Amino acid sequence: MSALVSPFEEVRDVKSTRLAMAMHDLRGSLAVIAGQAKLLRAGKLGTVNPPQVAALADIVSGCQLIEQQLSGMLTADARGSSPWEPVLAPSDLRQCLLGVYNSLQAEFSGHQLQFEIKLGELPMVFPFDAHLVTRVLMNLLQNARRFTPPGGSVKISLAPHFWERRSAQLPADMERRGHYSRKLPNAAKVVVADSGCGIAPEYHQEIFEEYFSTPAPGCSASSGLGLAIAHHIIQAHGGKIWVESAPRKGSRFCFLLPYVAPSAISRCRAESVADCGD
């Protein structure tokens, strides 16, 4: 005898199926857009100048990024895992931020916003999911653009950071070896700052909840999903995300990504490898 299925589960399954079908169809549409952009970029439909070639390259890259996100969501749904589970690989966070900045310059300029980035000169390579972190950055920057009036500014910054909380999670061997260098940076700190309408302190926690939209006079409403997605992704990396803001004072959205992934820390505990984490 088959198990009884509740009406709620039936509705959820129907919604999940319809969502999967919609995502599948979107992938087809994205392929068409990317294909046409590639034809234009190659000059097969007429002459294009260098700025147009660069813009078309951004369109192709954007389509590829969305396609990767949709594929990840469909794969996660099929295997019953979280769509925010990172696939960790050594990547350069500096280049990740720079790529997002370059792709959005035209959009911010079109909204009459000053758009700046401060990254430092050295690479910052450690294990993280570049596709998911790019999604976090895009969400934060789209919010900053939406809530900042023309003439305002949006700034991205990246810097090494010492995160006290991480040391408490390290195995004893790693703690002893790091005794004399405990204050060295063990995480990357990214800040997206804007000069927009700001957020009242009583909403600093709620804004990371799904479907919560900040009641800010004079600011356009949002879906309430971008910050929730960012929160899920950063937490899945073992990191932390928060906001520093006040009404009419702008906002600073900050997040930390640990240099040592949580999975690597767990492996060190389990295997007790003497030189793990060096």
Side-chain angles (χ1 to χ4, degrees):
M1 180 182 296
S2 60
L4 293 176
V5 179
S6 71
F8 173 78
E9 290 175 327
E10 289 181 349
V11 171
R12 183 181 60 185
D13 289 344
V14 168
K15 287 183 177 180
S16 178
T17 300
R18 289 178 178 174
L19 180 60
M21 293 171 66
M23 288 192 292
H24 180 273
D25 292 342
L26 281 172
R27 292 174 68 186
S29 299
L30 284 169
V32 172
I33 295 170
Q36 293 298 317
K38 288 177 181 178
L39 287 175
L40 288 167
R41 184 180 60 178
K44 295 183 178 180
L45 301 178
T47 304
V48 289
N49 59 39
Q52 291 170 336
V53 171
L56 289 166
D58 286 341
I59 292 173
V60 173
S61 297
C63 288
Q64 291 173 341
L65 176 61
I66 297 172
E67 199 280 333
Q68 290 166 352
Q69 292 171 352
L70 291 173
S71 296
M73 293 172 68
L74 286 169
T75 303
D77 186 64
R79 65 173 183 251
S81 61
S82 168
W84 322 123
E85 182 178 347
V87 178
L88 301 175
S91 305
D92 187 349
L93 184 58
R94 184 180 182 277
Q95 289 300 317
C96 182
L97 269 65
L98 189 59
V100 173
Y101 170 77
N102 289 334
S103 69
L104 292 178
Q105 280 194 73
E107 180 180 351
F108 276 73
S109 177
H111 284 82
Q112 302 176 39
L113 295 174
Q114 183 181 357
F115 193 29
E116 301 178 6
I117 188 167
K118 183 179 180 181
L119 299 177
E121 298 298 327
L122 297 177
M124 192 171 290
V125 180
F126 61 96
F128 67 94
D129 190 316
H131 296 306
L132 288 180
V133 171
T134 295
R135 191 170 181 182
V136 171
L137 292 165
M138 294 293 286
N139 287 346
L140 294 180
L141 288 167
Q142 291 294 350
N143 274 355
R145 195 263 307 155
R146 182 184 298 113
F147 294 118
T148 304
S153 65
V154 176
K155 301 178 181 179
I156 308 169
S157 65
L158 168 67
H161 183 81
F162 173 72
W163 189 9
E164 184 74 35
R165 182 179 175 186
R166 302 310 305 173
S167 63
Q169 299 184 13
L170 296 176
D173 287 343
M174 294 175 69
E175 280 285 0
R176 284 194 294 271
R177 288 196 304 277
H179 178 72
Y180 297 104
S181 59
R182 199 176 299 171
K183 296 299 181 181
L184 291 177
N186 56 8
K189 182 178 181 179
V190 178
V191 178
V192 175
D194 64 63
S195 61
C197 54
I199 304 167
E202 58 265 32
Y203 300 119
H204 285 189
Q205 298 297 322
E206 286 86 346
I207 58 173
F208 294 103
E209 297 177 2
E210 294 176 359
Y211 304 110
F212 181 87
S213 184
T214 311
C219 294
S220 58
S222 65
S223 66
L225 286 174
L227 291 179
I229 291 171
H231 182 257
H232 285 307
I233 291 173
I234 297 302
Q235 278 205 324
H237 278 79
K240 175 183 178 182
I241 185 169
W242 72 97
V243 65
E244 300 167 355
S245 183
R248 297 178 297 280
K249 299 291 186 180
S251 300
R252 283 169 45 91
F253 281 89
C254 314
F255 67 84
L256 298 176
L257 289 173
Y259 289 161
V260 180
S263 57
I265 295 174
S266 298
R267 187 170 65 251
C268 288
R269 282 203 185 98
E271 298 176 358
S272 298
V273 179
D275 57 354
C276 186
D278 284 343

